Amino acid sequence: MNTSLPRWLLDLERLLPIRSQFVVAGNIRDSFLVPLASGPTLVPLLRALWEQLQRQDFRCLLVYDPSDGVRVYPDDAARRELAERLFDLKLASGSQIISLESLSKLMQAVSSTREARCALVVDFASRLARQPDHLSEGEQRFFVAAEKLSLTAAPIVPRPAEDAAGSTTASHGKPLFNPVLWLLNRPQDLPSWLTLDSERVASLTVGRPDYETRQAAARQLAPLFAGYAEASEAARAQFIKSFANGTEGMGLSALADITELANHQQLGLAAIDDAVRCYKVGALDNPWRKDYLRQRIRDAGSFIEQRVKGQPQAVVKALDILKRSVMNLTGAQARSGGSRPRGVLFFAGPTGVGKTELAKTLTELVFGDERAYIRFDMSEFAEEHTGARLLGAPPGYIGFDAGGELTNAVREKPFSVVLFDEIEKAHPRILDKFLQILEDGRLTDGRGDTAWFSETILIFTSNLGIYVEDEHGRRQQNVRPDDPYAVVEERVRGAIGDYFKYRLARPEILNRIGDNIVVFDFISAEVGKLILAGMLNNVARRLQEEFKLQLALAQPVQAALVQRCLADLGNGGRGIGNRLEADFINPLSRALFLEDLNGRQRVTVTALNETDKVVTLELALS
């Protein structure tokens, strides 16, 4: 028994003496690394199967599929002649269309023939029944006959017979079944009772290749890359390691496709990371490797401070993540971390302190365009069934062919910042999906399409830790605006840990986030004044753009706005904006609406008054 064979082939060899039928499901459309006379070679499933059957003296492999009917594999005149003689087929044109009833008879003939070891593959068996649990009369009769055959077939020792070349050979003396092999996308595509009620039907799962198999395949494909002949042994070894690491979760056919893509794009041995990324996300251009990005991040402090006020700790932590991402050192401590997201940040803290704004700012900083920012309000995914909308419905369910909002968005914008706002409001079952994203950097939707998160920055925001429940379940404030930042950080981090460890019982999610929790501080009065000044500048800019008016505020008006807008900082910058809108923008709009602004160049707000809780402004236009 050759231990270098794929596991499903080893299981087939082991079970052929005691099993008459095999359900082969999973990664069946992949390529497989098998030993041939010329050395290890990547071949499709049928070739791998035939090479293994030949070693056990099989002389005929028939393949049926609903489209082309039945044919022999490999297709040559001698084998067609043998199949026609043994099973009364007409294969002069290469294949013969037959009905399910004829297929049933062929299965019986193959299983019982003693003249030669033969096998029958039913390919695309997932398409034989429209609904496996609601069979038509003809489908029911066919599958019942298959079940009966699996129980009545017996292992055989073929009589000495002429082989495909016409010479007489002695057969292997070990009794083996002439098997029927069903090739399926998913095991549930056949009636469940076919495998459950028959002890002679074995299920073989064809899995994705492991790291060692990908290494071996990379070693076989390496000579096809430009620069291989001139590369040193160290460079070749690094290529194989990078190729195997970067293709985690992929099939061997993907490695072959990447090799073809590299040749087409003229990417040599040293550019294997670019070739893998191009295959994953469909883009050769990599914003993370732009020369200007390092300089932009180096000078980012002042750029961020213009938009996010009073959060120096958060800014430093976020920039550290960006620097690590640019240097491609994310997950460097693991053997295979190449597919993980470029960066992960968990923004926690009071409402309105700049968490979402910092996410937008980082997007513009890295990608130069806020449109690369993808936001999901997780309060919309509080019910378990809404996970189908975010991640895609499971196969067979309504809407599975549409994919998920998240997977579709990341495939459309593979280089992006993905923000999950108020993550604690999502259903815990939905949160489980983030384990795969954080660890493997990929997610497969109901259509079977994989979205790669390896070029994204993931940002989670949360208000966890600001309020907690006491022993009676009553909500109480855990941190206050006058608490020192060290106290705020300690209590918020502790509350986040308790939430994931004890309330959700999912410490593994917190473990994958690691030390990337960034706690935002409350807005202080000094920072509040800066935020208010920035908002007033935005109002002035809008007036200039819309009406060519310059805005000026008298000193008493400025003082009144500071007093009104900064009276309660518990809601952060958003609260300041809401108060400014109510006490300044609304009355300003009301006053300007009544004026003729033609020819006016300047508006000065001279006074702010309030009567019966209605704020009015006095204006001077010039």
Side-chain angles (χ1 to χ4, degrees):
M1 188 177 291
N2 194 332
T3 56
S4 67
L5 289 171
R7 174 63 185 270
W8 65 274
L9 280 178
L10 293 172
D11 288 342
L12 175 67
E13 179 182 355
R14 175 174 57 86
L15 294 173
L16 266 178
I18 58 175
R19 295 290 185 266
S20 62
Q21 295 186 27
F22 296 87
V23 173
V24 185
N27 192 34
I28 59 174
R29 305 302 172 194
D30 199 6
S31 297
F32 302 90
L33 194 64
V34 296
L36 302 181
S38 58
T41 307
L42 285 173
V43 298
L45 182 141
L46 285 179
R47 174 73 184 278
L49 174 63
W50 174 241
E51 292 294 333
Q52 177 65 2
L53 292 176
Q54 273 191 306
R55 296 188 185 98
Q56 296 175 281
D57 295 333
F58 277 76
R59 298 174 55 213
C60 181
L61 175 61
L62 294 174
V63 180
Y64 168 85
D65 70 67
S67 174
D68 297 330
V70 64
R71 67 186 190 277
V72 293
Y73 183 93
D75 187 12
D76 59 44
R79 288 189 175 86
R80 284 201 301 269
E81 181 181 347
L82 175 64
E84 288 177 338
R85 178 168 56 83
L86 291 177
F87 307 116
D88 193 25
L89 294 171
K90 295 178 175 59
L91 303 176
S93 61
S95 63
Q96 178 183 344
I97 300 295
I98 60 175
S99 64
L100 281 184
E101 183 179 358
S102 297
L103 175 61
S104 181
K105 293 178 180 178
L106 179 61
M107 292 166 60
Q108 295 179 37
V110 169
S111 298
S112 60
T113 184
R114 291 184 175 274
E115 187 169 340
R117 292 202 189 278
C118 301
L120 171 62
V121 170
V122 182
D123 202 358
F124 294 95
S126 297
R127 305 294 176 255
L128 289 179
R130 182 175 298 179
Q131 293 180 301
D133 295 329
H134 299 83
L135 300 175
S136 67
E137 183 179 350
E139 293 169 345
Q140 178 79 10
R141 189 163 48 247
F142 169 76
F143 284 113
V144 170
E147 179 187 17
K148 181 179 178 180
L149 179 63
S150 72
L151 296 170
T152 58
I156 63 171
V157 177
R159 297 185 293 268
E162 288 187 354
D163 60 17
S167 60
T168 301
T169 58
S171 295
H172 196 286
K174 184 178 181 181
L176 300 176
F177 282 95
N178 280 359
V180 175
L181 299 100
W182 308 82
L183 299 189
L184 299 158
N185 298 331
R186 295 170 294 273
Q188 59 267 34
D189 291 338
L190 286 183
S192 57
W193 45 262
L194 179 63
T195 53
L196 293 176
D197 296 341
S198 177
E199 296 179 353
R200 289 288 180 84
V201 180
S203 295
L204 303 180
T205 300
V206 182
R208 298 279 181 176
D210 57 19
Y211 179 80
E212 287 71 22
T213 304
R214 297 197 309 276
Q215 266 192 323
R219 195 172 290 111
Q220 297 300 314
L221 294 169
L224 302 178
F225 280 77
Y228 175 83
E230 301 81 15
S232 64
E233 285 301 319
R236 293 178 181 181
Q238 181 58 43
F239 164 85
I240 293 169
K241 179 180 178 182
S242 298
F243 205 175
N245 283 340
T247 52
E248 185 174 2
M250 296 185 187
L252 297 187
S253 59
L255 275 71
D257 290 342
I258 291 170
T259 303
E260 183 69 24
L261 181 65
N263 288 332
H264 181 71
Q265 297 287 345
Q266 298 182 340
L267 299 174
L269 203 70
I272 183 59
D273 290 340
D274 290 333
V276 172
R277 185 186 61 256
C278 185
Y279 176 84
K280 287 180 178 179
V281 303
L284 187 58
D285 188 43
N286 186 0
W288 293 105
R289 292 190 178 178
K290 296 295 185 182
D291 294 336
Y292 61 77
L293 185 56
R294 294 181 67 173
Q295 183 61 41
R296 185 182 288 178
I297 294 175
R298 190 179 294 119
D299 301 333
S302 59
F303 173 75
I304 296 178
E305 279 293 330
Q306 293 175 5
R307 298 181 57 169
V308 182
K309 310 290 186 183
Q311 303 294 343
Q313 298 89 350
V315 171
V316 169
K317 184 73 173 182
L319 288 178
D320 282 346
I321 297 295
L322 287 187
K323 292 170 184 175
R324 188 179 70 195
S325 301
V326 170
M327 301 306 294
N328 200 24
L329 291 177
T330 298
Q333 70 276 16
R335 183 178 74 169
S336 56
S339 294
R340 293 180 181 180
R342 284 277 177 168
V344 177
L345 287 163
F346 191 105
F347 289 166
T351 182
V353 296
K355 300 189 292 293
T356 302
E357 186 65 25
L358 181 54
K360 293 180 181 180
T361 305
L362 294 179
T363 306
E364 184 173 346
L365 179 66
V366 175
F367 303 114
D369 186 358
E370 272 195 20
R371 288 176 295 182
Y373 155 88
I374 304 170
R375 178 181 177 272
F376 292 93
D377 186 344
M378 300 310 292
S379 64
E380 299 178 10
F381 303 95
E383 303 297 331
E384 183 176 358
H385 67 84
T386 57
R389 184 182 131 207
L390 182 69
L391 308 170
Y397 285 76
I398 294 175
F400 80 95
D401 54 345
E405 292 180 13
L406 173 59
T407 51
N408 290 344
V410 171
R411 273 194 294 269
E412 182 181 346
K413 298 178 181 177
F415 297 94
S416 58
V417 171
V418 187
L419 174 67
F420 302 99
D421 227 348
E422 299 186 283
I423 188 65
E424 75 277 6
K425 294 184 179 179
H427 192 277
R429 290 288 181 87
I430 296 176
L431 293 181
D432 290 341
K433 290 294 184 181
F434 289 105
L435 289 172
Q436 183 179 351
I437 297 174
L438 294 172
E439 185 67 22
D440 301 329
R442 61 187 174 91
L443 196 63
T444 302
D445 60 22
R447 297 181 302 189
D449 296 331
T450 299
W452 297 94
F453 292 76
S454 53
E455 305 303 327
T456 65
I457 292 179
L458 304 185
I459 299 179
F460 304 93
T461 74
S462 172
N463 300 128
L464 285 171
I466 306 305
Y467 292 90
V468 295
E469 292 183 357
D470 61 17
E471 62 274 15
H472 304 292
R474 293 175 299 199
R475 191 167 180 259
Q476 63 179 12
Q477 196 163 356
N478 188 37
V479 290
R480 302 181 180 278
D482 54 353
D483 287 336
Y485 175 75
V487 173
V488 173
E489 183 180 34
E490 180 183 0
R491 291 182 180 176
V492 169
R493 280 180 175 270
I496 292 172
D498 291 345
Y499 178 80
F500 282 101
K501 292 176 183 177
Y502 306 119
R503 184 168 175 178
L504 290 186
R506 285 168 171 80
E508 60 273 18
I509 296 178
L510 188 66
N511 192 37
R512 295 220 181 12
I513 294 171
D515 192 43
N516 297 323
I517 297 175
V518 180
V519 179
F520 283 61
D521 200 1
F522 284 94
I523 295 296
S524 65
E526 291 74 16
V527 173
K529 291 178 181 178
L530 295 175
I531 293 175
L532 176 60
M535 291 179 175
L536 287 171
N537 287 336
N538 292 338
V539 174
R541 185 174 63 254
R542 183 71 64 84
L543 282 175
Q544 180 65 37
E545 292 172 353
E546 294 290 334
F547 306 107
K548 308 301 181 185
L549 280 176
Q550 293 182 358
L551 175 66
L553 303 180
Q555 184 59 39
V557 174
Q558 295 184 34
L561 288 177
V562 169
Q563 182 179 4
R564 286 172 173 271
C565 296
L566 274 59
D568 181 8
L569 294 174
N571 291 320
R574 195 171 290 114
I576 295 174
N578 292 338
R579 197 73 241 172
L580 181 66
E581 185 177 63
D583 289 354
F584 181 72
I585 298 177
N586 288 348
L588 178 63
S589 301
R590 191 188 317 128
L592 290 176
F593 185 80
L594 300 175
E595 299 286 345
D596 181 6
L597 301 180
N598 290 330
R600 306 288 188 165
Q601 297 181 348
R602 181 182 179 88
V603 56
T604 302
V605 182
T606 57
L608 185 151
N609 304 311
E610 181 175 356
T611 305
D612 296 330
K613 296 186 178 180
V614 176
V615 178
T616 58
L617 302 179
E618 296 180 14
L619 307 180
L621 291 166
S622 58

